[in-house]
């Protein structure tokens, strides 16, 4: 397919009242509804009506110590996505689940269930967890070291995919006359014994409609990029400049070759937080107004966590202090580097950096008209910085409605985005192949 014929993939990242840390303070948002299923169902239906490929829910396993000023809590993803599956028909449903603080059998069973419930629309955003606070909720005093988290993730995914493959697609027979429900020769234990996990199997849910849920990853460190190149089918990434986006895109796609993978089978989706106005000046005013609603204490907490330095004693209108070496960061290494580079490149004070990060925690924020937003997306898409975008509305529901009603029609007019769904599964939306069952494939080779 030629570049002119390509169409971008669009995922919407739903974050409670919106991605901006002060979104909940705007009078047109609904922070009192962030545990109301009908609120999320309306958002999901808005995104599906606009023909988004998928929606995505983040998840964390701890409450921020600065809960006083932040609305980033929420419902558990499997429960919420199952409820959204009931009121939608086509849009993909991607949930975040940590490989550090879960067991593979539980996760494989839940995603198989969600894929069946949604008729093939499930996706798994695989994270290793980046917060020390999460460790304290799971019998640990400290967070598992970064490299060990990725080693665990690799084995975790190996177990999960083996469990999905433990049922062949045609294992269920339902022969009433003979009394045969399933062909037991096509339901296999996996007998996995590794460094971290020992799992017999088989799974107690038949193979998912998609084979596996779409495997999504969001880490951009060296470990993260290598993990993505080996396993991921979509990446949510934070890139601040076109050049950075192009470099990341080229780097990750080039790594797929050594794993025998087709670069088209990995979709790279940079994050974009669009603040849309009827005019550019109106959009800039909206950005300034919402930034002025930020609480410095909250921003300092977020920034301190990202950079591994307590910033509370430093002047807000002064520069960052000397930062630790990246090797000493045991949280999100790629986000640390992005923020450090941003502050240095633009010579930002701590206050300015807080405002820069308030909209999307390091993802790109762009304020402009719908046409200007579409121009930006087209430029990044056509110049090799992404296969599509992870759209992060700064406030909800208005930010999603503005994008759906103003930007999407412009992308469709340019031939860059679908006007109707052509498939029914998330794999079909993303142009991804259905994985072959590893056990049957091995049997064919042995034969």
């Amino acid at each position: 397919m030629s570049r002119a014929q390509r169409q971008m993939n669009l995922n919407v990242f739903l974050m409670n009242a919106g991605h901006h840390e002060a979104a909940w303070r705007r009078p047109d948002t609904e922070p009192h509804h962030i545990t109301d299923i009908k609120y999320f169902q309306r958002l999901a239906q808005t995104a599906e009506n606009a023909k988004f490929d998928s929606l995505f829910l983040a998840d964390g396993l701890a409450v921020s110590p600065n809960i006083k000023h932040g609305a980033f809590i929420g419902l558990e993803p499997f429960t919420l996505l199952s409820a959204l599956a009931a009121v939608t028909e086509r849009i993909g449903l991607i949930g975040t689940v940590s490989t550090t603080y879960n067991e593979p059998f539980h996760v494989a069973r839940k995603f198989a269930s969600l894929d069946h419930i949604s008729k093939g629309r499930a996706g798994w955003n695989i994270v290793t967890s980046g917060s020390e606070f999460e460790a304290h909720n799971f019998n640990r005093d400290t967070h598992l070291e970064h490299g060990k988290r990725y080693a665990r993730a690799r084995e975790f995914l190996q177990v999960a995919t083996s469990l999905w493959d433990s049922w062949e697609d045609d294992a269920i027979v339902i022969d009433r006359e003979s009394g045969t429900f399933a062909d037991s020769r096509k339901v296999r234990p996996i007998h996995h014994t590794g460094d971290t996990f020992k799992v017999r199997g088989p799974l107690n849910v038949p193979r998912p409609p998609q084979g596996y849920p779409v495997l999504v990853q969001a880490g951009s460190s060296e470990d993260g990029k290598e993990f993505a190149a080996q396993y991921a089918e979509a990446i949510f990434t934070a890139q601040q400049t076109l050049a950075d986006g192009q470099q990341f895109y080229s780097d990750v796609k080039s790594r797929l070759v050594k794993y025998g993978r087709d670069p088209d089978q990995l979709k790279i989706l940079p994050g974009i937080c669009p603040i849309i106005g009827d005019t550019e000046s109106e959009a800039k005013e909206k950005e300034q107004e919402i930034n002025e609603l930020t609480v410095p204490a909250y921003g300092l907490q977020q920034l301190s966590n990202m950079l591994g330095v307590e910033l509370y004693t430093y002047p807000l209108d002064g520069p960052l202090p000397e930062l630790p070496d990246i090797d000493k960061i045991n949280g999100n290494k790629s986000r640390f580097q992005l923020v450090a580079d941003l502050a240095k490149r633009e010579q930002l004070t701590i206050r300015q950096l807080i405002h820069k990060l308030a909209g999307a925690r390091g993802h790109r924020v762009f304020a402009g008209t719908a046409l200007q937003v579409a121009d930006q997306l087209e430029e990044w898409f056509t110049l090799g910085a992404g296969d599509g975008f992870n759209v992060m509305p700064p406030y909800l529901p208005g930010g999603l409605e503005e994008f759906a009603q103003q930007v999407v029609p412009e992308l469709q007019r340019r031939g860059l985005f679908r006007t109707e769904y052509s498939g029914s599964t998330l794999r079909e939306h993303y142009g991804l192949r259905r994985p072959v069952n590893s056990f049957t494939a091995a049997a064919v080779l042995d034969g």
Side-chain angles (χ1 to χ4, degrees):
M1 182 176 291
S2 71
R3 186 169 292 278
Q5 294 173 303
R6 289 173 68 224
Q7 288 192 329
M8 63 179 64
N9 301 108
L10 292 179
N11 173 80
V12 61
F13 183 173
L14 299 180
M15 177 73 83
N16 293 347
H19 280 273
H20 198 287
E21 65 186 48
W24 67 273
R25 299 186 67 190
R26 281 177 58 107
D28 58 350
T29 59
E30 303 178 29
H32 47 296
H33 285 159
I34 61 176
T35 55
D36 181 348
I37 186 57
K38 293 188 180 300
Y39 168 71
F40 284 99
Q41 288 175 333
R42 292 198 312 271
L43 295 173
Q45 289 168 337
T46 297
E48 184 168 69
N49 289 338
K51 314 305 178 188
F52 274 82
D53 294 81
S54 52
L55 64 83
F56 161 54
L57 301 176
D59 192 38
L61 300 171
V63 173
S64 165
N66 214 346
I67 186 63
K68 178 179 179 179
H69 303 301
F72 294 115
I73 56 170
L75 298 171
E76 187 278 320
F78 282 111
T79 309
L80 178 51
L81 290 173
S82 295
L84 298 184
V87 298
T88 56
E89 295 181 354
R90 297 291 190 92
I91 193 166
L93 306 167
I94 302 173
T96 297
V97 177
S98 171
T99 57
T100 302
Y101 300 115
N102 281 290
E103 288 290 321
F105 190 94
H106 284 142
V107 172
R109 185 187 188 199
K110 290 174 181 178
F111 270 115
S113 299
L114 178 61
D115 208 46
H116 280 288
I117 289 167
S118 65
K119 294 181 169 55
R121 294 186 283 139
W124 174 14
N125 179 43
I126 305 164
V127 301
T128 64
S129 293
S131 166
E132 191 79 19
F133 305 118
E134 293 174 286
H136 301 159
N137 291 333
F138 293 89
N139 301 309
R140 294 185 62 90
D141 294 326
T142 59
H143 202 20
L144 195 63
E145 188 270 325
H146 189 272
K148 292 180 179 179
R149 296 203 304 272
Y150 272 98
R152 177 186 169 98
R154 287 184 173 86
E155 187 181 345
F156 193 112
L157 190 57
Q158 181 184 352
V159 176
T161 54
S162 295
L163 286 168
W164 293 321
D165 285 345
S166 64
W167 287 72
E168 292 188 30
D169 291 320
D170 59 351
I172 295 180
V173 177
I174 312 183
D175 185 337
R176 292 183 173 90
E177 186 173 339
S178 69
T180 302
F181 174 75
D183 185 341
S184 57
R185 295 170 300 176
K186 297 184 177 183
V187 184
R188 301 177 178 86
I190 67 170
H191 296 301
H192 176 90
T193 301
D195 293 336
T196 304
F197 302 109
K198 185 175 182 180
V199 181
R200 180 182 183 276
L203 196 63
N204 57 349
V205 180
R207 196 166 193 249
Q210 296 186 104
Y212 309 159
V214 172
L215 303 176
V216 184
Q217 193 261 357
S220 298
S221 65
E222 280 302 306
D223 283 334
K225 288 187 286 190
E226 204 62 27
F227 183 87
Q230 187 172 2
Y231 300 110
E233 296 170 299
I235 303 178
F236 298 146
T237 181
Q239 306 296 330
Q240 283 287 322
T241 69
L242 174 63
D244 287 345
Q246 291 169 321
Q247 194 279 330
F248 179 85
Y249 187 93
S250 175
D251 179 11
V252 175
K253 292 272 187 172
S254 68
R255 296 178 188 228
L256 271 70
V257 176
K258 64 183 170 186
Y259 297 108
R261 298 187 61 198
D262 182 345
D264 287 341
Q265 293 298 295
L266 173 62
K267 305 301 179 181
I268 296 179
L269 308 176
I272 179 74
C273 178
I275 301 176
I276 302 168
D278 291 337
T279 64
E280 182 178 352
S281 60
E282 180 186 304
K284 299 292 187 185
E285 288 172 9
K286 288 170 72 172
E287 181 179 29
Q288 182 177 344
E289 287 170 1
I290 196 168
N291 280 342
E292 288 175 352
L293 294 176
T294 59
V295 178
Y298 183 84
L300 280 171
Q301 172 75 39
Q302 298 290 95
L303 190 55
S304 295
N305 288 340
M306 287 182 188
L307 297 177
V309 175
E310 292 196 357
L311 300 171
Y312 312 105
T313 60
Y314 294 92
L316 281 172
D317 295 311
L320 286 174
E322 184 176 350
L323 300 178
D325 186 85
I326 193 170
D327 293 337
K328 296 182 179 179
I329 299 298
N330 195 32
N332 189 326
K333 290 181 181 288
S334 60
R335 197 58 50 88
F336 167 89
Q337 193 65 60
L338 181 148
V339 173
D341 290 346
L342 174 63
K344 182 178 180 180
R345 181 174 62 248
E346 300 190 14
Q347 294 293 298
L348 300 175
T349 66
I350 292 175
R351 188 191 305 275
Q352 289 170 331
L353 188 55
I354 288 172
H355 285 175
K356 277 278 188 179
L357 300 174
R361 302 167 307 284
H363 291 271
R364 186 165 180 248
V365 178
F366 180 81
T369 66
L371 289 179
Q372 289 173 322
V373 172
D375 288 342
Q376 290 289 308
L377 300 186
E378 181 174 10
E379 180 182 39
W380 281 51
F381 178 64
T382 58
L383 295 182
D387 296 302
F389 299 91
N390 184 25
V391 180
M392 305 167 65
Y395 45 85
L396 291 169
L400 172 58
E401 293 168 348
E402 291 163 355
F403 190 93
Q405 295 166 11
Q406 299 178 45
V407 180
V408 167
E410 179 60 24
L411 295 173
Q412 291 169 332
R413 186 188 68 78
R414 301 180 189 191
L416 293 170
F417 189 62
R418 70 170 64 85
T419 55
E420 291 294 340
Y421 290 108
S422 58
S424 59
T425 71
L426 181 52
R427 288 188 172 277
E428 289 173 325
H429 299 342
Y430 279 1
L432 300 171
R433 290 189 286 269
R434 188 176 188 270
V436 174
N437 188 304
S438 58
F439 290 104
T440 56
V444 168
L445 289 174
D446 290 342

